[in-house]
Amino acid sequence: MLIDPKEVFNGCPVFDAEHVMLVNLLNAVYKLLKEGKKDEAKKLFQEGVVRYTEKHLKHEEEVMEKFGYPDLEKHKKTHEVFRKVIAEDIKNLDDPKVFASEAALAMSWVISHVKKTDKKYVDYFKEKGCWEEACKLLEKPVELGLEEKLKEILGEDYIEPSQH
């Protein structure tokens, strides 16, 4: 099942664009798996999802640190769990059923994390009165240069990260 990008919006254009790009990556992996293109899905997962996730999480942590988010260490720990799952625990990518299960786990983690855990820093920044400043600090989303590949794989299911 493809993820609806609206599930990962938090109201900051740059983070929304990064979350949408992560959704595009996961959706592309899912679509490739459904089409039986296991090797292509595995490559996109390793070179796309894992690398993009690392860049995005670091970006998010830098902003939380700059604005003194009090639960930064706790938030970082949730990121570490996800990093470990996608970079280390997904060892059997050659078994399509295991890989599909792990990709589904990554999808559900992203949605849950954005809706629950990320919402806490959004609420904190808004209460502190620095939400707009934090969003302006973010010049542009991190990129991997995979947009054209994702458009090719996803076709009409590709969501432009900046259109929401």
Side-chain angles (χ1 to χ4, degrees), residues 73-98:
E73 291 309 312
K74 185 176 178 183
H75 199 103
K76 280 183 174 181
K77 286 181 183 171
T78 66
H79 285 176
E80 281 308 312
V81 168
F82 190 60
R83 282 179 176 107
K84 185 177 183 318
V85 167
I86 66 167
E88 297 172 24
D89 289 351
I90 301 177
K91 299 199 185 316
N92 198 357
L93 297 183
D94 291 321
D95 181 332
K97 288 182 181 177
V98 172

Side-chain angles (χ1 to χ4, degrees), residues 12-15 17-18 59 63 133-143:
C12 181
V14 172
F15 282 151
E18 289 181 3
H59 198 200
V63 172
E133 185 182 350
C135 289
K136 286 178 185 171
L137 172 79
L138 301 166
E139 294 176 20
K140 63 180 187 171
V142 295
E143 296 177 352

Side-chain angles (χ1 to χ4, degrees), residues 28-148:
V29 167
Y30 175 80
K31 191 168 183 179
L32 289 170
L33 285 173
K34 282 201 61 117
E35 294 171 356
K37 299 176 181 175
K38 177 188 67 165
D39 290 339
E40 198 175 339
K42 184 168 101 173
K43 183 177 179 183
L44 183 60
F45 191 86
Q46 292 169 326
E47 294 177 6
V49 175
V50 174
R51 284 181 48 222
Y52 194 83
T53 298
E54 181 57 36
K55 288 182 175 204
H56 165 66
L57 297 179
K58 283 178 83 169
H59 198 200
E60 201 175 79
E61 290 167 3
E62 287 170 5
V63 172
M64 287 187 279
E65 186 170 350
K66 176 158 179 61
F67 287 94
Y69 181 57
D71 288 335
L72 176 60
E73 291 309 312
K74 185 176 178 183
H75 199 103
K76 280 183 174 181
K77 286 181 183 171
T78 66
H79 285 176
E80 281 308 312
V81 168
F82 190 60
R83 282 179 176 107
K84 185 177 183 318
V85 167
I86 66 167
E88 297 172 24
D89 289 351
I90 301 177
K91 299 199 185 316
N92 198 357
L93 297 183
D94 291 321
D95 181 332
K97 288 182 181 177
V98 172
F99 184 31
S101 173
E102 296 293 353
L105 174 67
M107 288 178 165
S108 65
W109 187 91
V110 168
I111 292 171
S112 174
H113 181 77
V114 172
K115 281 183 161 182
K116 295 177 183 166
T117 309
D118 284 0
K119 185 175 180 340
K120 292 176 184 175
Y121 76 72
V122 170
D123 291 345
Y124 171 78
F125 287 156
K126 286 180 178 179
E127 287 171 18
K128 190 175 175 186
C130 63
W131 178 240
E132 296 296 323
E133 185 182 350
C135 289
K136 286 178 185 171
L137 172 79
L138 301 166
E139 294 176 20
K140 63 180 187 171
V142 295
E143 296 177 352
L144 279 180
L146 294 172
E147 292 78 10
E148 292 306 313

